[in-house]
Amino acid sequence: MTTLKKSRIESIDLLRGIIMIIMALDHSRDYFHSAALVDDPLNLATTSPFLYCTRWVTHFCAPIFLFLSGTSAWLQSGRKTTKELSRFLITRGLWLVLVDLTIITLGTTGDIYFSVFIIQTLWAIGISMAILGLMIWLPFYVILITGLLIVLGHNTLDFAEANHQGAFPFWWNLLHRQVAISLWGGRSLFIFYPFLSGAGLMMRGYCFGKVFTSYESTQRSKILIGTGLGLLAFFAVLRFANVYGDPVHWSAQKNALYTFLSFMNVQKYPPSLLYICATIGPALIFLGLVNKTGSRFSKILIVYGRVPMFYYIIHFYVLTSINILLYISRGHTIAEGLKGAPGMPWKFVAPGEGYSLAVAYAIWISVVIALYPLCKWYDTYKSSHREKKWLSYL
């Protein structure tokens, strides 16, 4: 096994940093764009190409993070015993689920009463990580095949769901359906991100990590670029066939541009096979092309990629705080904000109110820049206190 070069580790951090920054764009649009709560930015009947792309580019974030979480687990396997790695993945995975139910739910909704518990990206990463923690005791090829079967085959469940009558069992919803479920005392659980395909994707990322430790730079780049191009070709052929891989078919639109937008409009919740191909393909090509990460700008982006969990939590609370201040500045009261809008899990929102997309972009850029010193500080602190094991959970 060859020694993993530092530049290759930093190329992963660089990609992770880029997607963390892009992720904040989507959340800024959710909070501040006037149409965010009244229309889907991917609705071809009402969207504009720029708004569509603002939403679509953020599709890269969750699947790449899931994939890279698996890759990071493989890289850690060179420093930890199977028992140590298994324990870490399981405990950190369960910790992420708890964080999503509590800290992230509060940070995204602004609801101090926890009327709705939301399980979204961190939940999907966490439960997938815990499953991987159990899977790593199995032979490599078993993990490889299991992940491949899940990613390739989970969309067969679409046919079962289309023909199903009556309520779905709770476990099925967790696996493959975005749905709200009633709990006690008027509370509810919103399964925002079903985890089945994410678990398969993380297994694939874990197995793909072997590419980074078993091949020299030139050969590794060829494998990464070739695999990425292969995924994009597979996406194009399967999507064109319009028979499998995504529950929503594409169709001819009013012009070639909008037909292309329909072609690319793949399902994110849960991530479809085609969605995974369209996002992981470019990610692998990026990793294959980027061999130098020494520029000043790259170093800045890498900081965000080295502290993703810390950044993820903080950015939600910053965006929510700004949203509350702007909500009050528009003439609303705190009591109104805590009451919320009917049918909305988020507090301090009024559907139809908000700002232009340009304002949402300005807030996004401002928040990302403002968080850099804090992320830099935490990255330095974490690097200089490696003996504090609890830091690996944040």
Side-chain angles (χ1 to χ4, degrees):
M1 182 178 291
T2 60
T3 301
L4 183 67
K5 295 182 180 180
K6 183 179 179 181
S7 62
R8 299 311 304 180
I9 298 174
E10 288 195 339
S11 68
I12 293 175
D13 286 333
L14 176 60
L15 177 57
R16 189 183 286 117
I18 292 171
I19 65 170
M20 295 306 292
I21 291 172
I22 292 174
M23 172 201 65
L25 170 60
D26 194 36
H27 299 153
S28 297
R29 181 193 57 78
D30 281 336
Y31 279 107
F32 305 113
H33 187 221
S34 58
L37 297 178
V38 296
D39 199 6
D40 181 358
L42 301 178
N43 179 2
L44 297 181
T46 56
T47 193
S48 67
F50 187 72
L51 177 58
Y52 178 101
C53 291
T54 297
R55 170 56 174 160
W56 200 99
V57 72
T58 64
H59 279 5
F60 286 102
C61 302
I64 292 177
F65 201 89
L66 275 156
F67 186 86
L68 293 181
S69 294
T71 302
S72 296
W74 173 268
L75 298 179
Q76 289 183 65
S77 68
R79 306 190 300 269
K80 297 177 179 176
T81 66
T82 301
K83 182 178 180 180
E84 290 171 338
L85 182 58
S86 177
R87 180 186 300 157
F88 172 73
L89 291 174
I90 293 171
T91 55
R92 189 169 193 262
L94 295 178
W95 163 245
L96 292 180
V97 173
L98 179 62
V99 168
D100 214 18
L101 281 168
T102 55
I103 298 174
I104 299 300
T105 291
L106 176 61
T108 54
T109 65
D111 183 3
I112 60 176
Y113 304 110
F114 287 92
S115 305
V116 180
F117 294 95
I118 304 178
I119 50 176
Q120 42 187 324
T121 307
L122 277 192
W123 134 265
I125 295 171
I127 197 66
S128 299
M129 191 174 289
I131 292 170
L132 181 61
L134 298 173
M135 293 285 292
I136 62 171
W137 291 96
L138 301 174
F140 178 86
Y141 73 87
V142 174
I143 303 174
L144 178 68
I145 293 173
T146 301
L148 186 62
L149 288 175
I150 292 174
V151 171
L152 288 176
H154 79 94
N155 279 117
T156 58
L157 300 181
D158 297 334
F159 303 108
E161 290 176 1
N163 296 311
H164 181 81
Q165 295 183 355
F168 286 87
F170 179 69
W171 60 267
W172 184 289
N173 292 327
L174 292 176
L175 288 176
H176 203 253
R177 295 187 71 242
Q178 188 184 73
V179 65
I181 298 173
S182 297
L183 299 175
W184 69 92
R187 290 178 171 82
S188 60
L189 173 69
F190 185 14
I191 303 173
F192 199 75
Y193 210 110
F195 78 90
L196 179 61
S197 59
L201 183 57
M202 187 175 290
M203 293 177 205
R204 297 293 297 155
Y206 175 82
C207 295
F208 208 83
K210 195 171 184 178
V211 172
F212 288 92
T213 57
S214 300
Y215 299 95
E216 293 292 346
S217 178
T218 301
Q219 189 175 7
R220 182 168 57 232
S221 292
K222 290 180 179 179
I223 294 172
L224 289 166
I225 294 171
T227 305
L229 291 173
L231 285 176
L232 292 180
F234 179 73
F235 163 82
V237 172
L238 191 59
R239 184 60 168 163
F240 184 78
N242 232 8
V243 293
Y244 182 75
D246 197 278
V248 180
H249 291 178
W250 67 277
S251 60
Q253 301 294 314
K254 59 186 179 181
N255 56 43
L257 173 60
Y258 275 76
T259 297
F260 175 74
L261 298 183
S262 175
F263 189 85
M264 296 303 299
N265 188 15
V266 286
Q267 179 176 277
K268 182 176 182 179
Y269 306 110
S272 68
L273 168 60
L274 291 172
Y275 174 93
I276 290 171
C277 291
T279 52
I280 299 301
L284 295 180
I285 294 171
F286 176 90
L287 290 173
L289 292 174
V290 176
N291 293 304
K292 295 182 180 180
T293 57
S295 71
R296 186 175 180 181
F297 186 59
S298 293
K299 293 296 183 183
I300 291 173
L301 298 179
I302 285 171
V303 168
Y304 296 101
R306 286 173 59 87
V307 293
M309 176 73 165
F310 178 81
Y311 169 88
Y312 185 77
I313 293 174
I314 297 298
H315 99 285
F316 268 129
Y317 279 85
V318 172
L319 289 175
T320 295
S321 298
I322 296 172
N323 178 60
I324 291 173
L325 290 175
L326 292 177
Y327 179 84
I328 293 173
S329 74
R330 295 196 298 269
H332 298 285
T333 65
I334 293 179
E336 282 182 276
L338 289 173
K339 183 179 179 181
M344 293 283 179
W346 304 279
K347 305 303 179 183
F348 300 95
V349 297
E353 288 189 4
Y355 310 92
S356 68
L357 198 55
V359 171
Y361 266 82
I363 294 174
W364 163 58
I365 294 171
S366 300
V367 169
V368 170
I369 293 174
L371 288 182
Y372 177 77
L374 198 58
C375 291
K376 180 65 175 177
W377 166 81
Y378 181 67
D379 180 35
T380 302
Y381 180 82
K382 189 175 181 180
S383 298
S384 59
H385 293 81
R386 297 185 185 277
E387 74 283 359
K388 297 183 178 182
K389 302 298 183 183
W390 64 269
L391 289 173
S392 62
Y393 287 80
L394 183 57

